[in-house]
Amino acid sequence: MTFEFEIDQGATVAERYAALSRQAKSLLAGETNAIALAANFSALVYHGVERLNWAGFYMSDGDMLVVGPFQGKPACIRIPFGRGVCGRAAVDRETVVVADVDAFPGHIPCDSASRSEIVVPIIIDDTVFGVFDVDSPEPGRFTDADRVGMEQLVAVFRDQLSVALRTNGVA
Ligand code: SME
């Protein structure tokens, strides 16, 4: 299997995320290994969305968020709930978009190139599984259209993960 990333420069942001969501569905379909799903999903986003320097997961171990599969430079391993952008999104159960990471109180710097960030929580059966965190070297990189698109994309991952957890008797 090979995966091509032809970003249609003429497409709107919404169309690009819709196309990526379709690719994500076919990439993840039928797989029930959570790490495999997360690894391929982070690679899809990292290569399919432009102007990023990090894309990946922080997964709850019950007490903290722990780094999971990602693309980009090595990152901090554990983030307490409520700390940083990731911990905030996990506690509030809402997507957090940060236009300027230096202006976000408590932002946890991992890659000094990161200037803006979006974090989407992943909720399954009313439990926070973790968050999907995406960083950009460009200030204000993530618009509201990116938020809507990224939430749609992460929902594809969440739905397949939910199937995987049920199949494995975890949820
Ligand atoms: N900046 C994040 C930490 C994770 S890294 O960006 C990969 C935060 O403040 O939660």
Side-chain angles (χ1 to χ4, degrees), residues 54 58 75-76 79 83-87 106-108 110 117 133 135:
W54 206 89
Y58 279 89
C76 57
I79 299 177
R83 291 275 310 281
V85 188
C86 291
H107 169 257
I108 302 166
C110 288
E117 181 163 0
D133 178 19
D135 289 18

CSV table of all heavy atoms in Angstrom, one decimal, residues 54 58 75-76 79 83-87 106-108 110 117 133 135, ligand 1:
chain,number,residue,atom,x,y,z
A,54,TRP,N,4.4,19.4,14.4
A,54,TRP,CA,4.1,18.3,15.3
A,54,TRP,C,2.7,17.9,15.2
A,54,TRP,O,1.8,18.7,15.1
A,54,TRP,CB,4.4,18.7,16.8
A,54,TRP,CG,4.8,17.6,17.7
A,54,TRP,CD1,6.0,17.1,17.9
A,54,TRP,CD2,3.9,16.8,18.5
A,54,TRP,NE1,6.0,16.1,18.9
A,54,TRP,CE2,4.7,15.9,19.3
A,54,TRP,CE3,2.5,16.8,18.7
A,54,TRP,CZ2,4.1,15.0,20.2
A,54,TRP,CZ3,2.0,15.9,19.6
A,54,TRP,CH2,2.8,15.0,20.3
A,58,TYR,N,-1.7,12.6,23.1
A,58,TYR,CA,-1.5,12.4,24.5
A,58,TYR,C,-2.7,11.6,25.0
A,58,TYR,O,-3.8,12.0,24.8
A,58,TYR,CB,-1.3,13.7,25.2
A,58,TYR,CG,0.0,14.3,25.0
A,58,TYR,CD1,0.3,15.1,24.0
A,58,TYR,CD2,1.1,14.0,25.9
A,58,TYR,CE1,1.6,15.6,23.8
A,58,TYR,CE2,2.3,14.5,25.8
A,58,TYR,CZ,2.6,15.3,24.7
A,58,TYR,OH,3.9,15.8,24.5
A,75,ALA,N,8.9,14.8,22.3
A,75,ALA,CA,8.1,15.8,23.1
A,75,ALA,C,8.1,15.4,24.6
A,75,ALA,O,8.5,14.3,24.9
A,75,ALA,CB,6.7,15.8,22.5
A,76,CYS,N,7.6,16.2,25.4
A,76,CYS,CA,7.5,15.9,26.8
A,76,CYS,C,6.5,14.7,27.0
A,76,CYS,O,5.6,14.5,26.2
A,76,CYS,CB,7.0,17.1,27.7
A,76,CYS,SG,5.4,17.7,27.2
A,79,ILE,N,1.8,14.9,30.9
A,79,ILE,CA,1.2,16.2,31.1
A,79,ILE,C,0.0,16.0,32.1
A,79,ILE,O,-0.9,15.2,31.8
A,79,ILE,CB,0.6,16.8,29.8
A,79,ILE,CG1,1.8,17.0,28.8
A,79,ILE,CG2,-0.1,18.1,30.1
A,79,ILE,CD1,1.3,17.6,27.4
A,83,ARG,N,-3.0,21.0,32.9
A,83,ARG,CA,-1.8,21.7,32.6
A,83,ARG,C,-1.6,21.9,31.1
A,83,ARG,O,-1.9,20.9,30.3
A,83,ARG,CB,-0.6,21.0,33.2
A,83,ARG,CG,-0.5,21.0,34.7
A,83,ARG,CD,0.1,22.3,35.2
A,83,ARG,NE,1.4,22.6,34.6
A,83,ARG,CZ,2.5,22.0,34.9
A,83,ARG,NH1,2.6,21.1,35.8
A,83,ARG,NH2,3.6,22.3,34.3
A,84,GLY,N,-1.1,23.0,30.6
A,84,GLY,CA,-0.8,23.2,29.2
A,84,GLY,C,-2.0,23.2,28.4
A,84,GLY,O,-3.2,23.2,28.9
A,85,VAL,N,-1.8,23.3,27.1
A,85,VAL,CA,-3.0,23.3,26.2
A,85,VAL,C,-3.7,22.0,26.2
A,85,VAL,O,-4.9,21.9,26.2
A,85,VAL,CB,-2.5,23.7,24.7
A,85,VAL,CG1,-3.7,24.0,23.8
A,85,VAL,CG2,-1.6,25.0,24.8
A,86,CYS,N,-2.8,20.9,26.2
A,86,CYS,CA,-3.4,19.6,26.1
A,86,CYS,C,-4.2,19.3,27.4
A,86,CYS,O,-5.4,18.8,27.3
A,86,CYS,CB,-2.3,18.5,26.0
A,86,CYS,SG,-1.4,18.6,24.4
A,87,GLY,N,-3.7,19.6,28.5
A,87,GLY,CA,-4.4,19.3,29.8
A,87,GLY,C,-5.7,20.1,29.9
A,87,GLY,O,-6.7,19.7,30.5
A,106,GLY,N,0.6,28.9,30.9
A,106,GLY,CA,0.9,27.5,31.2
A,106,GLY,C,1.2,26.6,30.0
A,106,GLY,O,1.4,25.4,30.2
A,107,HIS,N,1.4,27.3,28.8
A,107,HIS,CA,1.7,26.5,27.7
A,107,HIS,C,3.0,25.7,28.0
A,107,HIS,O,4.0,26.2,28.5
A,107,HIS,CB,1.9,27.4,26.5
A,107,HIS,CG,2.6,26.7,25.3
A,107,HIS,ND1,3.9,26.9,25.0
A,107,HIS,CD2,2.1,25.9,24.4
A,107,HIS,CE1,4.2,26.1,23.9
A,107,HIS,NE2,3.1,25.5,23.5
A,108,ILE,N,3.0,24.4,27.5
A,108,ILE,CA,4.2,23.6,27.8
A,108,ILE,C,5.0,23.5,26.5
A,108,ILE,O,4.6,22.9,25.5
A,108,ILE,CB,3.8,22.2,28.2
A,108,ILE,CG1,3.0,22.3,29.5
A,108,ILE,CG2,5.0,21.3,28.4
A,108,ILE,CD1,2.2,21.0,29.8
A,110,CYS,N,7.5,22.2,23.8
A,110,CYS,CA,8.2,21.0,23.5
A,110,CYS,C,9.2,21.2,22.4
A,110,CYS,O,10.3,20.8,22.4
A,110,CYS,CB,7.2,19.9,23.2
A,110,CYS,SG,6.3,19.3,24.6
A,117,GLU,N,-1.1,26.4,18.0
A,117,GLU,CA,-1.5,25.0,18.4
A,117,GLU,C,-3.0,24.8,18.4
A,117,GLU,O,-3.7,25.7,18.7
A,117,GLU,CB,-0.9,24.7,19.8
A,117,GLU,CG,-1.1,23.4,20.4
A,117,GLU,CD,-0.1,23.1,21.5
A,117,GLU,OE1,0.7,24.0,21.9
A,117,GLU,OE2,-0.1,22.0,22.1
A,133,ASP,N,-3.0,16.5,19.4
A,133,ASP,CA,-2.4,17.8,19.5
A,133,ASP,C,-1.6,18.1,18.2
A,133,ASP,O,-0.9,17.2,17.7
A,133,ASP,CB,-1.4,17.7,20.7
A,133,ASP,CG,-0.6,19.0,20.9
A,133,ASP,OD1,-1.0,20.1,20.4
A,133,ASP,OD2,0.5,18.9,21.5
A,135,ASP,N,0.8,21.1,16.3
A,135,ASP,CA,1.5,22.4,16.4
A,135,ASP,C,1.9,22.9,15.0
A,135,ASP,O,2.2,22.1,14.1
A,135,ASP,CB,2.8,22.1,17.2
A,135,ASP,CG,2.6,21.9,18.7
A,135,ASP,OD1,1.4,21.5,19.0
A,135,ASP,OD2,3.5,22.0,19.4
B,1,SME,N1,2.3,22.4,23.9
B,1,SME,C1,1.6,21.3,24.6
B,1,SME,C2,2.5,20.2,25.0
B,1,SME,C3,2.7,19.2,24.0
B,1,SME,S1,3.7,19.6,22.7
B,1,SME,O1,3.2,20.8,22.0
B,1,SME,C4,3.9,18.4,21.6
B,1,SME,C5,0.8,21.8,25.7
B,1,SME,O2,1.0,23.0,26.2
B,1,SME,O3,0.0,21.1,26.2
